[in-house]
Amino acid sequence: MSAARSLKTPDELQAAGLVALEGLDAIRSVAEHYAIAITPTVVSLIDRADAADPIALQFVPDAAELVTTPEEREDPIGDAAHSPVKGIVHRYPDRVLLKAVHICPVYCRFCFRREMVGPQGDGTLAPEELATALAYIGDHPEIWEVILTGGDPLVLSPRRLAEIMRGLAAIEHVKIVRFHTRVPVVEPDRINEALIAALKESGKTVYVALHANHPREMTVEARAASARLVDAGFAMVSQTVLLKGINDDPAVLGDLMKAFVETRIKPYYLHHPDLAPGTSHFRMDIEEGQKIVSALRGNISGLCQPTYVLDIPGGHGKAVISANAVRGDGGCYSVSDFRGGEHRYPPE
């Protein structure tokens, strides 16, 4: 049964049966550090009878978040090192992040920006800050793509979104605008005609990158919301985080990738979890992740293959970390097939 509104406090979670009374004090301690929000749509997906429910594990706070390991850091992918003005991250030559808002409809417990998002976080850019960010983009002709992230940019009102898109419309060298969002999954009714019209305001090519981690998130409503975006002319790609206990199984991950493709969403990035504070219980070894990704190859369609990546700590960008299937030199190679067999190339 859906809740009437989003759950945002430990007491609301306990009243909804998502947190045990005996664990409430620990969850209150977690809430002092990290934001909580679970939409009615997400609440309706949680199986309260399953202690390892993969939806609950993503959104319901856990006492394990109070444990910080030595390698974890507040800014695990180094946004701050590449932020010339507030709201902009310029890590790669031809694209920038525009973080217009640091609020989300839900707060993932593994979020790599968990120190920056939520009511206690960096908030929404003020009009003058947004103007400065847009001016930076306008002053750098090498910027071909602007990626709106944060926070979730689709929590902004259609009016605010339209203002941003009109600002980007005036910058001729920007050709692509990309949105990173969970909204079609966690708040699908927000994808309406007004929001779609706002996304069209720039006249640019618009991509929407949908973040989902488990096939149960791809509900009829989520698929319909995504269809509204695709039918409106927006290309869609996916983003998924490889998470222990949630999707660290080739069958589960394969079902999710198939669900994306069925919904006309091209699988894009599969992220190795970042070193955010209090998230070690979600992480696995890279070697484990490589085995899972290798198991996808050959067993499901090539359309369903994501690129497994690691954001190198310190702001050094992404590295593809899929298992290396080719070894050798001097024109002679050993090639691994998806079953683990080894083959010479060129053949003898």
Side-chain angles (χ1 to χ4, degrees):
M1 185 173 75
S2 296
R5 58 187 178 83
S6 294
L7 306 178
K8 297 185 177 182
T9 70
D11 290 310
E12 289 173 347
L13 296 177
Q14 194 273 322
L18 298 177
V19 170
L21 183 60
E22 57 269 26
L24 191 55
D25 286 343
I27 301 307
R28 285 172 176 153
S29 295
V30 173
E32 292 175 4
H33 297 278
Y34 308 117
I36 298 169
I38 310 178
T39 62
T41 295
V42 173
V43 171
S44 72
L45 294 178
I46 294 174
D47 181 359
R48 291 168 173 78
D50 182 2
D53 178 70
I55 309 300
L57 291 176
Q58 292 185 65
F59 302 108
V60 177
D62 188 285
E65 295 175 54
L66 298 172
V67 178
T68 300
T69 59
E71 70 273 14
E72 292 176 343
R73 52 188 71 188
E74 292 184 1
D75 183 11
I77 69 168
D79 278 355
H82 298 280
S83 185
V85 299
K86 188 173 182 180
I88 293 287
V89 178
H90 195 173
R91 180 179 288 108
Y92 301 101
D94 73 337
R95 57 206 181 275
V96 295
L97 303 183
L98 174 56
K99 299 194 290 185
V101 62
H102 286 82
I103 304 298
C104 299
V106 293
Y107 292 104
C108 305
R109 308 322 305 169
F110 49 86
C111 179
F112 68 99
R113 292 197 179 110
R114 61 197 331 229
E115 300 281 350
M116 308 173 193
V117 299
Q120 82 289 359
D122 291 348
T124 302
L125 289 185
E128 60 274 15
E129 292 169 335
L130 178 60
T132 299
L134 290 172
Y136 177 89
I137 296 169
D139 289 341
H140 288 76
E142 72 274 20
I143 296 174
W144 174 79
E145 180 183 23
V146 174
I147 303 167
L148 280 103
T149 182
D152 193 317
L154 295 192
V155 302
L156 292 169
S157 69
R159 178 186 63 81
R160 292 291 305 277
L161 284 169
E163 289 174 355
I164 293 170
M165 296 300 269
R166 285 193 292 270
L168 294 173
I171 305 173
E172 196 277 334
H173 55 264
V174 171
K175 305 298 183 183
I176 307 294
V177 182
R178 192 197 321 173
F179 288 84
H180 286 182
T181 185
R182 261 195 178 280
V183 164
V185 163
V186 304
E187 205 170 6
D189 289 346
R190 188 180 280 270
I191 308 299
N192 55 30
E193 291 183 6
L195 183 144
I196 288 169
L199 299 189
K200 287 179 173 286
E201 280 284 331
S202 71
K204 312 286 186 181
T205 299
V206 173
Y207 279 73
V208 178
L210 176 65
H211 177 180
N213 298 317
H214 193 276
R216 274 176 43 207
E217 296 175 59
M218 297 302 292
T219 62
V220 170
E221 294 78 12
R223 293 179 187 229
S226 299
R228 291 193 289 275
L229 291 166
V230 175
D231 290 343
F234 307 130
M236 290 192 72
V237 297
S238 75
Q239 293 204 101
T240 296
V241 184
L242 187 58
L243 299 164
K244 184 184 292 186
I246 293 170
N247 57 19
D248 57 337
D249 179 309
V252 172
L253 200 60
D255 285 346
L256 174 61
M257 297 302 140
K258 287 180 178 180
F260 287 142
V261 172
E262 291 165 6
T263 313
R264 296 177 288 171
I265 299 170
K266 179 65 181 79
Y268 183 37
Y269 278 147
L270 176 65
H271 294 271
H272 193 77
D274 295 307
L275 299 175
T279 64
S280 63
H281 54 297
F282 289 111
R283 292 195 299 274
M284 67 199 74
D285 292 337
I286 285 177
E287 290 83 358
E288 294 176 77
Q290 289 173 326
K291 289 177 182 177
I292 292 167
V293 172
S294 294
L296 296 181
R297 179 63 63 184
N299 289 307
I300 60 174
S301 167
L303 291 172
C304 301
Q305 305 295 326
T307 300
Y308 185 32
V309 295
L310 171 73
D311 258 303
I312 303 170
H316 302 289
K318 291 181 178 65
V320 176
I321 56 172
S322 298
N324 188 357
V326 180
R327 295 170 301 285
D329 55 35
C332 295
Y333 302 93
S334 175
V335 184
S336 302
D337 65 30
F338 72 95
R339 295 185 181 91
E342 295 287 332
H343 309 271
R344 284 179 58 86
Y345 180 86
E348 289 183 309

